[in-house]
Amino acid sequence: MRARSARTGTGPGPRPGPGKAGYTVLFATVLALALLGVLVATRGAATDGPLAAGESSGHYAEPEGVGDAAADAMASAVRTEPGAPGRGAARAADRGAGRGTDRGARTDPLPPSSPLEAAPRDPSPAIGPLFYTDQDEPGHGCTASVVHSRKGDLLVTAAHCVYTDGFHTDVAFAPGYHDGEAPYGVWVPTSIDVDPEWMTARDEDHDVAFLRVRQVGTGTRVEDVTGAERIAFHPAVDRPARVLGYPGEGERPLACQSVVRRESASQLRFDCAGLPGGTSGSPLLTDVDAGSGLGTVVGVLGGKDEGGDDETSYSSYFGDAAERLYRRATAG
């Protein structure tokens, strides 16, 4: 069993908390250490960080200076090539990624992984880790993906990755990240939106967040650099899907292919072993283009027990509430 997020809430300030996988291990570990008179944090990149209250609606508008500081901190953690898209991303954007499946495009059949376990995979331009920068060395603890929006600046991830008794203000996104390199630059939030049900009750049926992002010093839109996944509301289930996300202690992503199924009216499940801490917020992708790797996001790892365990992952169902949240996040 494992915590989905690489950061925990055991330090002086709250951080993205462990899912079901983390709580049993966390309790046993803390109890044992307490008997020795020692209290330590569980595995993760950081145990505290700055928070902002935001609005009661679940909206947080990040001050420009806060985002600039997060981007500055990332300079010590990653090598960047800001601005210009790579060839694969440019082709994806040219094809109108996120605006529907192109006629004649070849769709990956997504056969189940064999064995049914996550394995290393090449990065995808529209998916990357969320870094948390308020520490000695920025570290990543969740995953996010670029999804299509009218303004071309939108990410989706799990709510528990960006809100824990307050909005985390030290967040930065590195799409396509690998081996210390951010080939598509570093992006910081201009706003974050979560459902008020998550704010007030940490409701696992609302473990979804949308972030609008910018690249400091440019007017470039992230979607024009990386391409974008489509997003589906009220998605069909019992379909082949791929998860791609970043382990909290890894420099390259892991991926697994299985079938996305109903766990309940408000939750999806994805049976696959080996998706460790850090993969919270990873997209559940269907209808994946075999060339670009871009697909349709039908969920993000989180939801029930804030993620799952070593064998099964969950996602809040993208129903009416998630669609309203998307529309609120993209308004204006």
Side-chain angles (χ1 to χ4, degrees), residues 231-253:
I231 188 165
F233 300 104
H234 301 282
V237 294
D238 297 323
R239 301 190 60 205
R242 173 186 297 161
V243 163
L244 189 146
Y246 285 78
E249 297 179 353
E251 291 293 288
R252 284 181 170 265

Side-chain angles (χ1 to χ4, degrees), residues 220-264:
T220 306
R221 308 185 323 164
V222 67
E223 187 170 324
D224 293 336
V225 175
T226 64
E229 318 286 1
R230 298 171 295 273
I231 188 165
F233 300 104
H234 301 282
V237 294
D238 297 323
R239 301 190 60 205
R242 173 186 297 161
V243 163
L244 189 146
Y246 285 78
E249 297 179 353
E251 291 293 288
R252 284 181 170 265
L254 299 173
C256 187
Q257 294 176 182
S258 184
V259 177
V260 60
R261 305 186 188 278
R262 280 274 196 182
E263 170 70 8
S264 68

Side-chain angles (χ1 to χ4, degrees), residues 119-205:
R121 192 179 182 96
D122 287 341
S124 175
I127 300 171
L130 287 178
F131 280 80
Y132 303 92
T133 64
D134 187 59
Q135 51 195 299
D136 292 338
E137 184 69 19
H140 56 90
C142 277
T143 300
S145 53
V146 182
V147 289
H148 176 60
S149 68
R150 182 171 54 88
K151 294 292 183 69
D153 62 353
L154 194 67
L155 312 180
V156 66
T157 189
H160 76 260
C161 292
V162 294
Y163 185 95
T164 314
D165 297 327
F167 288 93
H168 295 282
T169 63
D170 62 336
V171 175
F173 175 62
Y177 175 82
H178 64 89
D179 305 306
E181 181 179 345
Y184 307 105
V186 169
W187 305 78
V188 295
T190 59
S191 65
I192 303 174
D193 282 273
V194 300
D195 195 285
E197 293 288 338
W198 177 262
M199 293 179 69
T200 58
R202 206 169 173 91
D203 188 332
E204 64 187 17
D205 292 342

Side-chain angles (χ1 to χ4, degrees), residues 8-15 39 41 46-51:
T8 66
T10 57
R15 300 304 258 178
L39 179 65
T47 56
D48 63 338
L51 300 174

